[in-house]
Structures are given as C-alpha cells and as structure tokens.
Amino acid sequence: MESLRITGLIPCSSFTNVLQARLSSRIINGKVGFASLWGRGIRSRSLRLRGSVSSGGNEGALGGLQDESSTVKDEKKKKKGLILGTERDGSGSVIGFQLIPQSGETEAVDSSHDDATTKNVEEAADIDGKEEAKTKVTYNIVFVTSEAAPYSKTGGLGDVCGSLPIALAARGHRVMVVSPRYLNGTPSDNKFAGALDLDCRIKLYCFGGEHDVAFFHEYREGVDWVFVDHPSYHRPGNPYGDSYGAFGDNQFRFTLLCHAACEAPLVLPLGGFTYGEKCLFIVNDWHAGLVPVLLAAKYRLYGVYKDARSILTIHNLAHQGVEPAATYKNLGLPPEWYGALEWVFPTWARTHALDTGEAVNILKGAIVTADRILTVSQGYSWEITTAEGGYGLNGLLSSRKSVINGITNGIDIVEWDPSSDESIDFHYSVDDLSGKVKCKIALQKELDLPVRPECPLIGFIGRLDYQKGIDLIRLAIPDIMEDDVQFVMLGSGDPQFENWMRATESAYKNKFRGWVGFNVPISHRITAGCDILLMPSRFEPCGLNQLYAMRYGTVPVVHATGGLRDTVEIFNPYAQGGRGEGTGWTFSPLTKESLLAALRIAVETFRDHKSSWEGLMKRGMEKDFTWESSAVKYEQAFKWTFLDPPYVS
Ligand SMILES: Nc1ncnc2c1ncn2[C@@H]1O[C@H](COP(=O)(O)OP(=O)(O)O[C@H]2O[C@H](CO)[C@@H](O)[C@H](O)[C@H]2O)[C@@H](O)[C@H]1O
C-alpha cells in the first residue's frame, strides 16, 4: 500500500474546488465536500429503514461487490505479495485495493459464507494441489473515536483505537483514525507534534451556525492518524472534562467530530488519494454515534456514501450521550429524523412534575442506523440485550440481535511485554521468571512499603467509578487488611473514592498504598510487581487490565461478568492429570463475601502451593491476546457488513 503513496499532498482546497464544480452540475450525486452543500439548505426528505433486519450476515446481496472480486493471474506477483490494482470511483479517487498477500500468509477471510468469487479462487488453488488461495479482500476503514493512544487516552477506548487500526493496516487494509486534536497546555500536547496541518479547512453546519475545522495528519505504523482541530478541543483537562466535572459542551464537541469524520474520507487526499465513498466507518461509543445517522439522514439521500457501511462498536453502554430534547435541532439533522434519537425517560427517572422525560440519545441513534454492531467481548454482546446490562436499550438491541457480534479485544503486545517493557527495571519471560520478584521488590521500594517478597501483593488499576466495583473494595478492605497482605491501588475519578484511598493509606501505613492519578508507567510497574490483580467490576465490556496482568504473570481475581468471564479461566488444580488448568479466579455474585472467598483462595495458593502458582502464571503468560487474532474476527464482521445493503438506505 505504501507504494501507492505519493509524497506531495494535493492541497485540500483545490481538491474540494474541483469537486464542488462537479457538485454544482450534479448535486444529487455529490461526491465530496458535502458539508458545504448541506449548510446551504439542502434537507433530506424521508427516513427509510429497511423492513427486515439481516440475518447475521448469512444472507444478503452477494453480487455486485467489486472489492470482493480479485482474480489472481500472475503467479510471480502472487509470490511477492503485491498490490494487484486499485479500484477507483468516478472521480478517480482510490476507493479500494486488490491485494495479494505474501506467499505463506494465512487466509484471513472465513469461507463459511458463499462468496462465489472467493470460492472459485480457493478451488482453483485446491486443484493445483499445494497452495492455499491467497486472494484477500481489503477495505478502506475509517475509525471515529474520541480517544486514541498514544495521542489521547483516559481508558480502554484509547488503547483499542490506538492498536486495532495498526493491526488492521498490517493486514493490508487502508486505515484512517479520526479523533480530536486535544491540546491542554501540558507536555502531553507534544504527542501531537508529529501531526502536520493538512491545510484543509472546511465548514461544518450544526449548532445554529457554521464552524471552521482544520485537519492535522500523521502517517504512522501504516495508519493515517487524522486529528480534527477546533478551539473547543483546546482547554485544560482531559478529553471529557476537568476538575469541575464533564464539559458542558461535550455534545457540541463530539457532534463536530462526527460531522468532520464524515467529510474526511471525501476531502482529505491522504498520500495523494482520498479514501472515497466506498469506505467502512467504525464508530466507537456515543461520541462517534452520529456518524451512521448522518450517513443515512444527510449523505445517502443525495447519492453520497451509498456504498459505505458503518459498524458501531460498543465499549461501554453506560454512557449514551443523552441530552435534553431541545438540543436535537443543534445536531445538523433533518427534523423528520428526530425519532431515530428520541428517548423518553421513565416516569420514575424524571426530576420534577413538569419534566416530560424527553431527551435525545445519540447512542440510540447509532444503534438504529448502523449496519452492524460489535461489542468488545462475546459475553457483553449478550449482556447488553438483558434488562440488567442493557441500560434501557436492551429491547432495541434485542431487535438487532442478528447483527450483533462480540469480539474480544486484543492487547498491544509490544507495549505490554515483560521481557522488554521500558517502564520496569527488571525483565522476565515465561522461560525465566526470576525478574518478576525483582519487579515486586522494586515496586515495594518505590511505594515505600515494607520489602517483603514473600508477602502477597494485590493490585487494582482503573477508573474509580461505580462500574469498577470500587465500592465493594471499600467495603472489603478492613477484612482484606486483617490478612498478611499488601494492597496497591492506582486510579482516578470519583473524588469520594480518591479521598477514601488517601484515608485508607493513612489507616494502613504498612499495607496499603493508594496512588491517585493517571500514570501509565506506574500502571506497568504495578502490573509487573503484583502477584494478584483484583477486578471486581460491576460490569466489564471486555477489560484490558486482566489481559495485561496475565501477560505479566500476575494472576487475576475477577467478578464473573462480560469480558472478564470470557477471558479468565478458573483455576482447577486437579485437571490435566494434576498439572492443573486455568489462569485465575472468577467470583459471583458480586458481594463482599464472594470477593473475599476468591481472594483468600488466591492468597493461600500463592503462599502454600508454589508450583501451582507458577503454573497459573505461565498459563496466563502463554495466552494469545494479540490483536492479530482479534483482527481476523473483525475482518469476518466487515465481510458480513458488506454482504447486505445499507441498513438504512
Ligand atoms: N489511573 C490510571 N493510570 C494509568 N492507566 C490507567 C489508569 N486507570 C486506567 N488505566 C488504563 O486504562 C485502561 C483501562 O481499560 P479497561 O478496559 O480496563 O477499562 P475502560 O472502562 O476504560 O474501558 C472500556 O473500553 C474498554 C475497551 O474496549 C473495555 O475493555 C472496557 O471493558 C470498557 O469499560 C487500561 O489500559 C488501564 O491500564
């Protein structure tokens, strides 16, 4: 793909002008720079939802998908793993690639679906007898996200959107990530230093006016990192708020992100070529949720993005982007689309007698318009359809069950590697665990805890909020502290829990440390130095810390929910002829008693059954949590998404 890149960028403005000339002669087939047209009063006519929901992608239009068909003819090229050709739209923009992977690369696309073309190629190869079919479908993918590490991160969303795009690009896809260019006046602003101004200003129409945004760009690790620049992203604090709480204009800030993200594939000539209309938007959580609504309500009615598809990835259903109904008019959507976002709170949730409970819910809008819905673990994909886990959207999500899939997150195994991690002083691996105890001693010294390698060290890392079950830890701490253990917590969030951590540290000076703040290097040192990681999450869509912990030989003790239940296998010392199996402990129900019971067994095993403990550590360290295996599953979901016509056309 790099071979297709040309060094000199086509200036955005001239690019847009050419296309605007085209637009003015053929408005309905507007291809590029649609925002400007929209702002001048073009409004959509009707909401057309397809009558039936597709059946899990197993049925659908099989024909007419150009990017599904590439016939391999030149055996020499095939062996070298070349880009066979590009697919262009009417304007000459590259909208897809036919890639021949390197000989020996595993076939990524699951052949369970009847794609005649792919099947033919596979059969031909089978007849030849030796080599597998190597034809692979690649996509132009546009991630839209409020955070992407290392540029911005407040939690797991940043991790995922910083790693998955790279894994997909490595598999031959053309990948762009669109997120805000946050500047908060601290050294973290330097993270954006490599992103250059594309000199592309566009006007976006929402919130009763026109707003100029600019785009910055960095091409790194095969991915186009695109940052939307606007003054509302430049302020102290984190991406969502500051010490006074959440920013009051978040709906505006993320509406702007969505409008800009819809324009980016049309107007940005990255590496000389736009991504074009035939792309796949992967929109993450509510912040990006207006994208599929805009595709349906604004663009498709005028012939733009008819071949695009969208996938909503839900990382956390608890946050939905709900604001008063009166704000609907600000979103830049036609009035007749109100129903897609309409949300009425039940009577008990209303605040006063005159409160009608009417609101707009951006995540709901995404759920009713996205072509497919993914969650970050299989367990969570079921939980969101239940009354307990659905946060009021369970009925709606159940109605779209056939297009919901769960794909467990991977982890960045380069950043999180105990044999080379730059944040820890000693290194170790599954073949030589000796560095682990040195990391523990170093952590005890750093935290000014008594240096006692034999004492079980329990850790917690995460946002201090209701989701993470901090209240349960607070309840259980007096009992935990009765035992001969040490406990270290790293987290920030709810001020009442931050204060509780400080108070607990003073109460148990020799046993407890509470680090209030967000600090990535210390999170690595805690992961490496602890023996046990506690995660009593009330719900956990996937959870990354238990995956990091296992990779570092730190044994997880977790509440049996969502991704935690999917990824932590319960320890059974008697299995495998006494060699044991499992990677940790899960407990349920979510009570102090069951938490304490699981923790006690873990602590006893650490103290009294050293060989069992080593087995637990090693099995966890050997687990495959790479993004590579998750990316293969994402590709399958992409394929299903394109088998069906757009859900809303
Ligand atoms: N104080 C601190 N200092 C340093 N690092 C800190 C930190 N607090 C948290 N982190 C880091 O932030 C990340 C948190 O990821 P999680 O997946 O555990 O939770 P989160 O709820 O943010 O993500 C949501 O999205 C992700 C991604 O899909 C899902 O896994 C998850 O279940 C869902 O709730 C980890 O990398 C962790 O180390």
Side-chain angles (χ1 to χ4, degrees):
M1 189 161 310
E2 271 178 311
S3 63
L4 281 172
R5 292 176 173 276
I6 56 172
T7 42
L9 288 180
I10 300 168
C12 163
S13 52
S14 61
F15 196 78
T16 311
N17 287 343
V18 170
L19 286 147
Q20 276 180 341
R22 278 182 53 211
L23 281 168
S24 53
S25 63
R26 197 158 59 99
I27 284 174
I28 295 302
N29 198 21
K31 294 268 183 200
V32 171
F34 201 78
S36 51
L37 266 174
W38 182 254
R40 287 173 204 140
I42 294 176
R43 290 292 180 265
S44 61
R45 296 176 302 261
S46 63
L47 163 63
R48 282 181 288 138
L49 281 171
R50 274 218 339 274
S52 62
V53 178
S54 96
S55 55
N58 294 329
E59 298 160 10
L62 288 173
L65 277 174
Q66 291 174 39
D67 66 350
E68 299 257 330
S69 63
S70 39
T71 309
V72 182
K73 285 184 181 153
D74 186 336
E75 274 303 315
K76 283 181 191 161
K77 281 184 185 172
K78 186 177 176 180
K79 288 214 166 63
K80 283 181 188 163
L82 297 174
I83 291 170
L84 187 63
T86 54
E87 189 184 332
R88 294 166 190 276
D89 66 10
S91 67
S93 292
V94 174
I95 56 171
F97 299 94
Q98 285 97 42
L99 180 82
I100 309 168
Q102 301 251 357
S103 180
E105 187 173 308
T106 40
E107 172 60 48
V109 178
D110 190 314
S111 56
S112 59
H113 293 265
D114 283 332
D115 181 320
T117 316
T118 309
K119 207 172 174 184
N120 282 344
V121 176
E122 284 173 0
E123 278 170 7
D126 283 345
I127 291 164
D128 284 342
K130 290 148 215 131
E131 273 203 7
E132 256 185 82
K134 302 297 177 199
T135 307
K136 178 170 165 179
V137 179
T138 60
Y139 299 95
N140 283 356
I141 300 167
V142 183
F143 278 81
V144 188
T145 175
S146 58
E147 49 182 285
Y151 307 99
S152 51
K153 167 176 162 174
T154 68
L157 174 64
D159 282 341
V160 171
C161 291
S163 305
L164 174 59
I166 294 171
L168 289 168
R171 296 182 60 78
H173 303 283
R174 193 178 183 208
V175 187
M176 178 199 307
V177 179
V178 185
S179 68
R181 182 167 175 266
Y182 300 110
L183 299 179
N184 60 18
T186 70
S188 75
D189 293 355
N190 291 335
K191 292 176 182 161
F192 293 95
L196 304 179
D197 190 345
L198 285 174
D199 198 18
C200 177
R201 269 79 181 140
I202 60 168
K203 291 187 189 308
L204 300 175
Y205 299 87
C206 57
F207 281 75
E210 60 176 43
H211 307 276
D212 290 312
V213 299
F215 293 97
F216 283 64
H217 172 250
E218 178 174 7
Y219 182 68
R220 183 178 59 80
E221 295 198 66
V223 173
D224 289 305
W225 303 91
V226 170
F227 303 104
V228 181
D229 197 50
H230 184 269
S232 67
Y233 303 135
H234 304 172
R235 58 176 67 151
N238 71 31
Y240 313 108
D242 57 17
S243 53
Y244 298 102
F247 296 132
D249 59 350
N250 278 344
Q251 191 195 45
F252 166 70
R253 297 165 78 231
F254 296 117
T255 296
L256 214 54
L257 171 68
C258 293
H259 280 268
C262 287
E263 290 292 306
L266 306 177
V267 303
L268 299 180
L270 302 174
F273 303 93
T274 65
Y275 274 55
E277 288 180 41
K278 192 172 182 179
C279 56
L280 172 63
F281 287 92
I282 302 184
V283 308
N284 295 274
D285 280 351
W286 80 263
H287 320 98
L290 274 185
V291 169
V293 189
L294 287 166
L295 296 183
K298 174 177 163 184
Y299 289 89
R300 258 181 211 136
L301 284 176
Y302 296 96
V304 181
Y305 282 133
K306 276 201 167 310
D307 293 323
R309 299 288 187 279
S310 60
I311 293 179
L312 166 66
T313 303
I314 299 177
H315 300 261
N316 194 335
L317 193 62
H319 304 284
Q320 301 178 1
V322 179
E323 295 287 347
T327 63
Y328 178 81
K329 64 179 188 312
N330 295 330
L331 303 178
L333 291 166
E336 60 270 31
W337 276 75
Y338 176 72
L341 273 69
E342 183 180 22
W343 182 251
V344 182
F345 283 104
T347 320
W348 59 262
R350 301 179 194 173
T351 49
H352 52 81
L354 298 179
D355 183 353
T356 58
E358 290 167 49
V360 288
N361 181 328
I362 290 180
L363 191 66
K364 182 210 158 188
I367 292 168
V368 300
T369 50
D371 296 303
R372 201 158 194 97
I373 298 167
L374 296 179
T375 63
V376 287
S377 69
Q378 284 195 351
Y380 195 59
S381 70
W382 170 77
E383 284 176 12
I384 59 171
T385 63
T386 66
E388 293 78 13
Y391 280 85
L393 289 169
N394 43 301
L396 181 63
L397 284 161
S398 297
S399 75
R400 300 219 61 199
K401 218 173 194 164
S402 57
V403 293
I404 300 179
N405 299 106
I407 301 176
T408 304
N409 286 331
I411 58 172
D412 182 336
I413 55 164
V414 176
E415 188 197 342
W416 292 90
D417 183 352
S419 67
S420 59
D421 189 332
E422 288 175 3
S423 300
I424 60 179
D425 291 335
F426 303 95
H427 295 124
Y428 57 97
S429 67
V430 73
D431 300 318
D432 176 9
L433 289 169
S434 57
K436 171 109 178 134
V437 73
K438 293 180 187 159
C439 288
K440 178 175 179 177
I441 292 169
L443 182 65
Q444 287 171 327
K445 282 185 184 159
E446 180 176 4
L447 299 177
D448 202 18
L449 281 167
V451 175
R452 294 182 55 208
E454 77 292 354
C455 178
L457 181 51
I458 304 163
F460 170 91
I461 301 166
R463 290 182 288 109
L464 301 179
D465 80 9
Y466 178 78
Q467 176 193 347
K468 303 294 178 184
I470 303 295
D471 49 328
L472 203 66
I473 298 183
R474 182 166 64 177
L475 208 61
I477 269 294
D479 295 85
I480 296 172
M481 292 288 99
E482 277 179 19
D483 202 348
D484 182 22
V485 298
Q486 295 176 343
F487 201 121
V488 49
M489 290 181 72
L490 167 67
S492 57
D494 190 332
Q496 62 154 317
F497 290 119
E498 293 186 352
N499 291 334
W500 166 78
M501 269 167 54
R502 292 186 187 104
T504 308
E505 184 170 315
S506 333
Y508 303 100
K509 284 204 176 63
N510 285 331
K511 291 184 150 192
F512 184 95
R513 286 292 174 275
W515 187 303
V516 175
F518 194 93
N519 187 318
V520 174
I522 185 76
S523 76
H524 283 241
R525 293 202 282 279
I526 291 176
T527 305
C530 285
D531 303 300
I532 296 167
L533 186 87
L534 180 63
M535 287 185 77
S537 304
R538 193 158 265 106
F539 66 95
E540 197 59 82
C542 175
L544 296 174
N545 287 313
Q546 83 280 13
L547 306 181
Y548 300 146
M550 285 187 266
R551 184 151 166 81
Y552 280 64
T554 303
V555 177
V557 174
V558 303
H559 175 220
T561 182
L564 298 178
R565 180 171 33 208
D566 287 1
T567 54
V568 178
E569 291 165 36
I570 302 177
F571 174 53
N572 175 358
Y574 307 110
Q576 308 285 340
R579 289 196 306 281
E581 67 181 16
T583 54
W585 283 270
T586 61
F587 63 88
S588 182
L590 187 68
T591 59
K592 182 179 92 170
E593 289 70 29
S594 67
L595 180 155
L596 288 172
L599 210 49
R600 275 187 197 122
I601 299 175
V603 164
E604 274 170 34
T605 310
F606 172 82
R607 275 200 200 109
D608 304 331
H609 304 280
K610 292 292 177 203
S611 66
S612 289
W613 193 261
E614 194 172 310
L616 269 163
M617 290 168 70
K618 287 187 169 170
R619 282 190 295 276
M621 293 175 87
E622 281 167 345
K623 284 270 168 204
D624 175 12
F625 294 124
T626 57
W627 269 114
E628 177 74 2
S629 40
S630 303
V632 173
K633 293 178 187 140
Y634 269 86
E635 284 173 338
Q636 179 64 82
F638 300 163
K639 193 178 180 200
W640 286 338
T641 308
F642 276 94
L643 284 178
D644 292 325
Y647 183 57
V648 185
S649 54

